[in-house]
Amino acid sequence: MRSLDKEDIENLAVGAAILGTGGGGDPYLGKLTAIQALDEGYEINVVDVKEVPDDALVIPSAGMGSPTVIVEKIPKGTEIINAFKTLSEYLGREVYATMPIEAGGLNSTFPLAVGAKMGIPIVDADGMGRAFPELQMTTFHINGVTVTPMALADERDNTVLLKTCDNYWAEWIARDITIRFGGTAWIALYPMTGKELKKAAIPGTMGLAEKLGAAVRETKESKGNPIDAVLDVSNGFELFKGKIVDVVRRTTGGFARGEIKIEGIDEYKGQNLLVHFQNENLVAIKDGEVIASVPDLITLLDLETAMPITTEAVKYGYRCFVIGIPCSEMWRTEKGLEVAGPKYFGYDVEYKPIEEIMGGMQ
Amino acid sequence: MTYRLGIDVGGTNTDAVILDKNDQPVAKIKVATTEDVTTGILNALDGVLKDSSVDPSEIKYAMLGTTHCTNAIVERKNLARVGIIRIGRPATLSIKPLISWPEDLVEAIGGYTHIVHGGHEYDGRELAPLDEEEVKRAVKDLKEKGVESVAISAVFSPVNNEHELRVAEIVREIMGDVPISLSHEIGSISLLERENAAILNAAVVKVAEIAVKSFENALKKKGIDAQLYITQNDGTLMSAEYALKYPVLTIASGPANSLRGGTFLSGLKNAVVVDVGGTTTDIGVLVNGFPRESSVAVEIGGVRTNFRMPDLISIGLGGGSIVEEVNGDVKVGPRSVGYRLEKEALVFGGNTLTTTDIAVSLGRIKLGDPSKVENLDKTLVEKAAGKIKTMVEEAIDRMKTSPEPVPVILVGGGSIIIPDELRGASEVIKPPHFEVANAIGAAIAQVSGEIDKVFSLEERSREDVLKEAKEIAVKEAIKAGADPNTVEIVDIDEVPLAYLPGNAIRIRVKAAGYLKI
C-alpha cells in the first residue's frame, strides 16, 4: 500500500489524459475532488492487485452522463458512498476497495476521493487501460464479470439498485435513470471478488498514468525530451511527427466522429497520416497503410509541451507527435476484439498488434 | 469641430491619438508607461494636445484601454476582499470555490466562502429550493468579515438566473451598496470557470475605480470635458459606469484594440493581425472586423476562467528581443531589453544586439546610427532574420483555420523587425499609423450588446428563438449607447447541448454599432 500526495495526483491527471487517447473527458474535476479530500485531511491509499485478498469485495466507481452537466453540477461527493452502502447492504458484505473502470479521461480520477472518504484503498488497476464510451467495454465484461447488481445515486440521496439480465441492458436502463437524476449519476458497478479482479482487471494502470504524467512534467522542467520519456514509460512507439492540416467532423449517433489529417515534418517530410476518431482516436493510417488501430492506444501530443491533444480541441495548425501504446493482452483475444476491436467501431480493418506492425517496418 | 481621444495604456508604452470627426488622426504619440499610470497618461495628453493644437474643450469623447486590472491580478495588488456565495447545495460540495487557486491570490482576496442550497438543473428545474434564511446567515457572516465585494454563482445560472438575482437582492438588503458580481453575467457553462471569472471580477472592482478616477482626473486637469468610455476585450466599448461593474472584461483589451485598429487602418475585415511590441508579439485573427474569441478555458494569473477572451498567441519576440549566438546557433528572444531599447541597442550606442539592430542592418528601417551595425557578421544577421521570419510564420500558421493564404496586418511599434513577405500570407500590410494602432482601435471602437443563454426548442422553432436572441442583442447595444441605425449583428454562435433530451441549445449573439454622437 502507498499513499498519494498532491504531486502524484497532478501527475496522474496528465497521464490519464494521455491514456484517454483524445477522448474520455478531462481528468481535471476528479483531480480537484482528490485534492480537496487531501486538504480535508483524508488519505488516498493505493494497493496493488496482488495485495487484494481473493475473497475481498472490490467495487469500481464512476460518474455517468453528460459531460456538460458534470462540469456544471459538480458532485456533492457522498453520492457514490450512498451507492456503495446500498450495494454492499444488498450483497451483505463489506467493501474492501474501489477502483476506476477506466484509466483514461474523466473517470480515472473520481475514485480517488471516493476511496479517501470511505476510508478504503483504491486498487491500482482498471477495466480498460484507456478510455471507452460504454459501460460494457471493459475487460471485466469480456472476462464474465457483470455490470449489475449496480447502484446509482444523485446528490439528493436518491439511490437506485439495478439488476439486469445482461451488461447491455445495464447500459440501456442506467442511461434513462441518469436523465431523471438531472443528467448525471454516480455509480458503483461491476462488484467482484479479489479472485475475479486478478483475472479480469488490467493491473498497474494507475501507476502507469502517474509515471506518464511525471515523465511529461519533469522532463519539461529539466528541458529534456518528454516524448522519449513517455515512450520509454509506456513501451510505446513514435508513429508520426507532423502538422495538422485538416480536421473533418460530423456528429452521428451521439458520437463526435471525424478524421485528422497530418502532414509530416522533419524526418516524416513528404508523408501523411490520417487519424480516424469517434470521441477517442481509433485508427491511424500512414500513406494508405494502417499503422495502429483500436484497442491499441493512439494519442496526439503537442510538439512543444508533450501535453495530450483531445479530439475536441484538435484543429488546423497544431504541431504534434502521434504515439501508439500497446493495449492489454486481454483486448487482443477474440472476445476482446469483438467488444472493442476496429470492426465494432465500423472500420473494415483487421486488427494487428502495434508491436508487430512497427517491428515489421523497422 | 468635435474630436475623439483614444488612449491605450500598455505594459511598456502609453499611446494616444486624437481623431477628427472623419476618423482621421490629427495627432499621435507614444510615451513611457509610468508606475502610477496617471503620469504617463498626462504626458501622453500633453503630447497630443501640443502636437495638434486642438482645443481641449472640443474633445467630446475619450476612450481608454488599460491593463490596470490584468496587472492587479498578476501582481496580486490592490485587490478587494471578496465574499463568495455559491448556490448549489446539496451538489457541488466535493469541489469548493478557490480549490484550484494559487495560494497567494487567495490570501490577497481573503476568500470567505459559503455554499447555500439552490441552483437549477440543465432543463431549468430547480436543483433545490433557495433557502433564504440560510442565505441571510451567510451574508451577515460576510458582512461581519468585512468583505468589500461579493461574487455570486449558481449551478446552471446560464439556463436560469433567478437564484443568483434573488441572492443579490438579499446581499443589497443586508450589506447596502456593495459591488456584486453575478456569474451568469460574466461567464458561460462550466461552474468552476464561471465562478472564477465572477470572483476575479469582484476582486478588481477597486482597481477599476482607481483607473477610471485617475483617467477622469487627468482629463479634467487638461481641460477636457468628454464622455468617458473604457474598451473591453471583444474590441468594443463600455461606459465608465459599466466598466466599474464588469472590470474583468478589460483584461486583454489591449490586443483587442490593436486588432480593431488593424481592421480600421487596413480596411480589411478578415485577416491575421500581428502586433509587435518591445518584448512580445501578439497574434490574433479578425473575423468580420472583430477579434476571434478563444474557444478554450483561459488562465488569468493562474486561475482557469471561461469568459469571452480574444483568441491570441503570444510569442517572446519584439523590437527589443536580444539576439545571441549559442553553440553556433542563433537565438532570438524571449529575453528582451524592453523599454531600455533606446539605451541598449547597438544603433542607439548600446552594447546589446537586438532585433531592431538586425532590421537596421538589413536596411529595412533607418533608425539611430546605422554605422554601428555596419560590421555585423553577415551570416549572423541572415540567420537572425530567418529565425524572426520563421517564428512569426509558425505563429500565424497556428492561428489560421486552413492552409489558404490570408492577408497579414502588421501593427505595433516593434513591427519594423518583420519582413514584407511571409509564408502563408497572401499580402503583408503595414498601414499608416501602425505604431499606434491600439490607441486608434480604442478611439474608433463601437459599442456592443450581447446575449448568451440556453433556450429550449421543445415548443418553439429554432428560427423563432434566434430571432428573439438577435432582438435582445440589438436592444442591449442600443442601451449601451449605440446609434440604432448602425447596429449590426456581428456574431452568432449556436451550441446544442449534447447527450440531453429536450433539445436544449445555447445561443450567443453579439450586436455592435457606432456610438450615437
Side-chain angles (χ1 to χ4, degrees):
Chain A
M1 187 141 86
R2 61 193 178 97
S3 302
L4 299 192
D5 60 19
K6 285 189 186 176
E7 188 72 24
D8 298 328
I9 293 167
E10 294 286 351
N11 289 340
L12 175 62
V14 172
I18 295 174
L19 297 177
T21 65
D26 191 343
Y28 179 70
L29 284 184
K31 176 183 93 179
L32 294 186
T33 64
I35 287 174
Q36 175 164 320
L38 288 182
D39 283 347
E40 288 172 352
Y42 293 100
E43 264 186 53
I44 298 176
N45 292 314
V46 177
V47 290
D48 282 342
V49 168
K50 56 178 187 295
E51 290 177 72
V52 180
D54 276 355
D55 60 349
L57 174 65
V58 176
I59 306 181
S61 46
M64 182 173 186
S66 165
T68 320
V69 174
I70 295 180
V71 298
E72 187 64 35
K73 194 172 69 173
I74 291 162
K76 181 184 186 182
T78 52
E79 297 94 333
I80 296 194
I81 297 175
N82 280 333
F84 269 91
K85 274 190 196 144
T86 308
L87 195 52
S88 98
E89 263 168 40
Y90 171 76
L91 294 168
R93 302 191 52 192
E94 291 287 307
V95 187
Y96 173 83
T98 187
M99 62 185 284
I101 56 169
E102 48 190 330
L106 192 74
N107 270 324
S108 58
T109 41
F110 276 115
L112 300 177
V114 174
K117 288 188 179 166
M118 289 182 55
I120 57 174
I122 297 105
V123 186
D124 182 356
D126 79 311
M128 298 184 188
R130 46 170 297 149
F132 274 133
E134 292 170 31
L135 285 186
Q136 79 287 352
M137 289 180 168
T138 61
T139 52
F140 312 143
H141 169 80
I142 58 178
N143 283 293
V145 183
T146 54
V147 173
T148 68
M150 74 185 285
L152 303 91
D154 74 3
E155 66 282 348
R156 304 172 182 84
D157 298 343
N158 290 312
T159 315
V160 176
L161 183 68
L162 185 65
K163 208 162 175 306
T164 57
C165 62
D166 67 26
N167 288 347
Y168 294 91
W169 273 97
E171 158 81 27
W172 181 243
I173 296 173
R175 290 274 160 210
D176 257 20
I177 295 167
T178 299
I179 299 293
R180 296 287 164 237
F181 279 177
T184 46
W186 297 91
I187 58 177
L189 70 172
Y190 280 118
M192 63 187 108
T193 62
K195 200 173 170 194
E196 284 174 307
L197 171 83
K198 286 164 196 167
K199 186 178 154 225
I202 305 173
T205 45
M206 197 186 276
L208 171 65
E210 281 176 59
K211 283 193 202 111
L212 284 173
V216 170
R217 296 179 71 227
E218 281 162 18
T219 45
K220 204 160 56 184
E221 273 162 34
S222 67
K223 305 229 168 3
N225 183 346
I227 300 293
D228 285 348
V230 165
L231 294 178
D232 191 40
V233 171
S234 64
N235 292 319
F237 297 89
E238 178 184 310
L239 301 178
F240 206 67
K241 182 179 174 186
K243 180 191 132 182
I244 295 167
V245 290
D246 199 15
V247 182
V248 183
R249 294 172 202 278
R250 54 193 170 274
T251 308
T252 36
F255 286 111
R257 292 172 201 243
E259 292 94 44
I260 305 161
K261 266 185 214 161
I262 309 172
E263 221 170 69
I265 52 179
D266 297 345
E267 64 268 38
Y268 294 91
K269 209 170 177 101
Q271 302 177 31
N272 288 287
L273 188 79
L274 192 65
V275 177
H276 289 265
F277 63 88
Q278 292 179 28
N279 295 356
E280 282 86 32
N281 301 317
L282 297 179
V283 180
I285 302 169
K286 187 161 89 177
D287 294 330
E289 233 172 289
V290 176
I291 56 166
S293 78
V294 69
D296 285 331
L297 289 69
I298 301 164
T299 294
L300 274 57
L301 301 175
D302 184 279
L303 202 57
E304 272 156 42
T305 63
M307 291 299 277
I309 307 171
T310 62
T311 53
E312 273 175 17
V314 73
K315 59 174 192 172
Y316 173 88
Y318 263 120
R319 281 158 176 76
C320 62
F321 277 108
V322 184
I323 63 165
I325 301 173
C327 68
S328 156
E329 286 302 325
M330 281 188 249
W331 285 123
R332 294 171 166 180
T333 59
E334 196 182 320
K335 185 89 194 277
L337 291 172
E338 196 181 293
V339 171
K343 294 225 163 67
Y344 180 86
F345 290 95
Y347 300 103
D348 187 20
V349 169
E350 212 55 58
Y351 171 76
K352 237 195 210 171
I354 188 164
E355 307 91 296
E356 276 178 35
I357 303 176
M358 298 315 285
M361 284 182 143
Q362 276 153 11
Chain B
M1 195 67 161
T2 59
Y3 294 91
R4 50 170 94 187
L5 169 73
I7 294 189
D8 187 277
V9 183
T12 313
N13 289 314
T14 297
D15 300 348
V17 293
I18 294 176
L19 301 187
D20 66 19
K21 66 173 189 209
N22 302 316
D23 291 339
Q24 287 309 306
V26 294
K28 59 180 176 182
I29 196 162
K30 228 176 191 14
V31 301
T33 297
T34 54
E35 181 81 36
D36 67 340
V37 181
T38 311
T39 310
I41 294 178
L42 283 171
N43 292 344
L45 284 177
D46 275 337
V48 278
L49 288 173
K50 212 167 90 194
D51 242 26
S52 62
S53 58
V54 164
D55 180 347
S57 70
E58 288 184 319
I59 295 175
K60 295 293 179 201
Y61 301 91
M63 286 74 166
L64 172 71
T66 172
T67 53
H68 280 86
C69 292
T70 321
N71 293 346
I73 292 171
V74 173
E75 293 165 14
R76 283 86 163 112
K77 264 194 202 154
N78 300 323
L79 299 176
R81 316 277 301 166
V82 181
I84 301 159
I85 303 175
R86 181 198 284 173
I87 310 160
R89 242 177 230 270
T92 79
L93 297 172
S94 66
I95 306 176
K96 291 177 185 151
L98 306 175
I99 284 284
S100 57
W101 284 47
E103 268 170 45
D104 56 346
L105 188 50
V106 174
E107 221 163 274
I109 65 164
Y112 300 104
T113 302
H114 287 272
I115 306 180
V116 299
H117 283 83
H120 288 81
E121 300 281 3
Y122 71 90
D123 54 6
R125 276 184 289 161
E126 267 188 359
L127 167 61
L130 191 68
D131 179 344
E132 300 210 352
E133 288 311 309
E134 186 188 16
V135 175
K136 281 177 192 161
R137 280 196 302 275
V139 178
K140 278 178 190 152
D141 175 63
L142 294 179
K143 191 179 174 187
E144 264 169 39
K145 296 265 162 56
V147 305
E148 302 162 278
S149 184
V150 177
I152 302 171
S153 60
V155 172
F156 276 114
S157 61
V159 176
N160 189 326
N161 60 15
E162 277 170 26
H163 286 179
E164 282 190 7
L165 293 174
R166 179 61 195 132
V167 171
E169 274 175 24
I170 296 172
V171 171
R172 290 231 180 289
E173 281 162 24
I174 295 173
M175 295 182 71
D177 192 23
V178 64
I180 298 174
S181 304
L182 301 179
S183 83
H184 76 270
E185 293 184 332
I186 299 165
S188 53
I189 294 275
S190 206
L191 178 68
L192 292 180
E193 287 80 0
R194 187 175 69 249
E195 177 177 83
N196 288 346
I199 298 170
L200 284 180
N201 190 68
V204 291
V205 285
K206 277 202 316 200
V207 177
E209 209 179 314
I210 296 168
V212 170
K213 285 247 167 74
S214 61
F215 190 38
E216 273 172 351
N217 287 339
L219 293 175
K220 212 178 277 168
K221 242 185 195 164
K222 299 291 159 198
I224 298 169
D225 178 25
Q227 215 162 324
L228 186 54
Y229 291 90
I230 312 293
T231 63
Q232 45 182 343
N233 58 22
D234 63 351
T236 65
L237 299 171
M238 45 188 171
S239 63
E241 198 184 24
Y242 192 88
L244 293 177
K245 239 180 129 188
Y246 302 107
V248 85
L249 297 180
T250 62
I251 290 175
S253 61
N257 288 339
S258 297
L259 280 150
R260 288 288 297 158
T263 192
F264 173 77
L265 293 172
S266 67
L268 291 175
K269 294 215 155 196
N270 295 288
V272 169
V273 177
V274 177
D275 180 9
V276 191
T279 304
T280 57
T281 293
D282 288 327
I283 292 129
V285 179
L286 285 165
V287 178
N288 296 326
F290 285 89
R292 183 173 80 201
E293 281 177 26
S294 171
S295 57
V296 295
V298 177
E299 274 205 8
I300 299 165
V303 177
R304 232 159 80 144
T305 66
N306 69 349
F307 65 100
R308 58 122 209 272
M309 289 281 278
D311 191 5
L312 295 170
I313 289 187
S314 204
I315 56 173
L317 173 70
S321 291
I322 296 171
V323 178
E324 53 196 339
E325 259 189 300
V326 185
N327 307 329
D329 206 22
V330 174
K331 203 167 166 256
V332 178
R335 292 204 307 134
S336 167
V337 297
Y339 66 91
R340 301 184 311 273
L341 179 69
E342 294 192 9
K343 287 197 188 92
E344 298 201 3
L346 298 182
V347 289
F348 296 118
N351 295 315
T352 314
L353 177 61
T354 66
T355 47
T356 295
D357 297 313
I358 300 293
V360 174
S361 155
L362 289 167
R364 280 188 195 144
I365 180 137
K366 285 202 175 64
L367 212 61
D369 179 1
S371 72
K372 302 263 188 200
V373 292
E374 259 171 15
N375 297 324
L376 279 179
D377 177 29
K378 284 246 158 50
T379 4
L380 172 71
V381 171
E382 265 163 38
K383 270 192 188 166
K387 186 95 192 195
I388 293 167
K389 186 165 182 278
T390 324
M391 282 170 84
V392 175
E393 285 172 344
E394 283 196 0
I396 290 171
D397 197 40
R398 288 190 72 150
M399 293 305 282
K400 296 199 317 190
T401 52
S402 80
E404 304 308 314
V406 289
V408 171
I409 305 165
L410 300 180
V411 297
S415 61
I416 50 164
I417 67 165
I418 310 295
D420 296 335
E421 263 179 49
L422 292 168
R423 192 163 42 87
S426 57
E427 52 180 327
V428 177
I429 302 152
K430 199 180 286 178
H433 314 300
F434 67 91
E435 77 283 10
V436 288
N438 46 7
I440 289 177
I444 55 98
Q446 299 185 324
V447 281
S448 68
E450 206 177 328
I451 176 175
D452 180 351
K453 214 180 139 179
V454 176
F455 292 88
S456 165
L457 298 181
E458 286 284 76
E459 283 151 19
R460 302 172 64 186
S461 70
R462 181 179 152 273
E463 286 67 32
D464 193 34
V465 167
L466 264 182
K467 197 169 150 247
E468 183 192 322
K470 283 185 198 166
E471 281 167 7
I472 296 172
V474 169
K475 237 182 251 166
E476 289 290 319
I478 295 169
K479 212 162 80 184
D483 177 353
N485 296 321
T486 64
V487 176
E488 277 180 80
I489 302 289
V490 292
D491 196 20
I492 299 180
D493 190 25
E494 291 174 69
V495 186
L497 299 187
Y499 298 102
L500 296 174
N503 265 332
I505 185 168
R506 181 175 154 214
I507 298 181
R508 296 196 303 161
V509 180
K510 188 194 291 175
Y514 285 101
L515 266 180
K516 201 170 173 184
I517 293 179

